[in-house]
Amino acid sequence: EVQLQASGGGLVQDGGTLRLSCTTSGFTFDEYTITWFRQAPGKEREGVSGISNYDQKTYYKDFVKGRFTISSDNAKKTVYLQMSSLKPEDTAVYYCAAGWLLDYTGDVYYKSAYDYWGQGTQVTVSS
C-alpha cells in the first residue's frame, strides 16, 4: 500500500522557520519524484518545490527560491522542506505527492502527473 504523510506544519510568526517532512512507504522511493504543493482556502493548488530521487535534481518556484530548501533521505524514504523567512502569504495546507517522471518532459508541477498524494499539513504564518 502506497502511503505518503506530510507533517511538521504549525503556527509561526512572520519571518519564522518550519521544517516539513514527507514520510513514505509502499513504493520504490528512489524511482520517483516527490513534489510539495500548497493550497490556500479558495485558491488553486500550486506547486512549491520538488526533488527527483533518481538523479537528485531539485526544483523551486520563484516565490520560494532563497527561502525554502528541499532535500531527500533515501535511507529513511523521507523528503524534507526547510522553510525560512516565512511570510503570511505562505499560509496554506502543504501536500507532498509522488510521481513517475523518469522520462517526463512536461511541467514538473502538473498535478495530474502525480499518482500518489498524502494528507496535507497546515502552515499558518501570523502577520
Side-chain angles (χ1 to χ4, degrees):
E1 179 182 357
V2 173
Q3 292 186 320
L4 292 86
Q5 183 170 317
S7 62
L11 176 64
V12 66
Q13 65 184 18
D14 191 357
T17 298
L18 285 172
R19 189 181 75 161
L20 305 184
S21 298
C22 178
T23 57
T24 73
S25 63
F27 66 98
T28 309
F29 183 81
D30 61 2
E31 295 179 354
Y32 278 74
T33 295
I34 308 295
T35 296
W36 290 93
F37 295 82
R38 70 185 187 186
Q39 187 169 24
K43 296 186 178 181
E44 184 179 354
R45 189 172 299 186
E46 63 179 354
V48 178
S49 181
I51 184 167
S52 50
N53 292 325
Y54 41 87
D55 60 9
Q56 294 297 299
K57 289 184 178 179
T58 58
Y59 307 89
Y60 297 95
K61 282 292 187 76
D62 287 343
F63 57 79
V64 302
K65 285 184 177 179
R67 299 190 298 126
F68 293 7
T69 301
I70 193 167
S71 61
S72 180
D73 185 334
N74 286 354
K76 296 181 178 179
K77 298 182 179 181
T78 299
V79 170
Y80 304 96
L81 186 67
Q82 180 73 29
M83 306 186 295
S84 62
S85 301
L86 283 163
K87 307 172 182 179
E89 63 197 82
D90 294 317
T91 296
V93 177
Y94 284 70
Y95 302 86
C96 58
W100 181 275
L101 303 178
L102 272 168
D103 56 359
Y104 183 68
T105 59
D107 183 1
V108 174
Y109 301 110
Y110 181 52
K111 294 187 288 293
S112 294
Y114 293 84
D115 299 310
Y116 309 113
W117 293 77
Q119 287 188 289
T121 185
Q122 176 72 50
V123 171
T124 303
V125 184
S126 62
S127 60

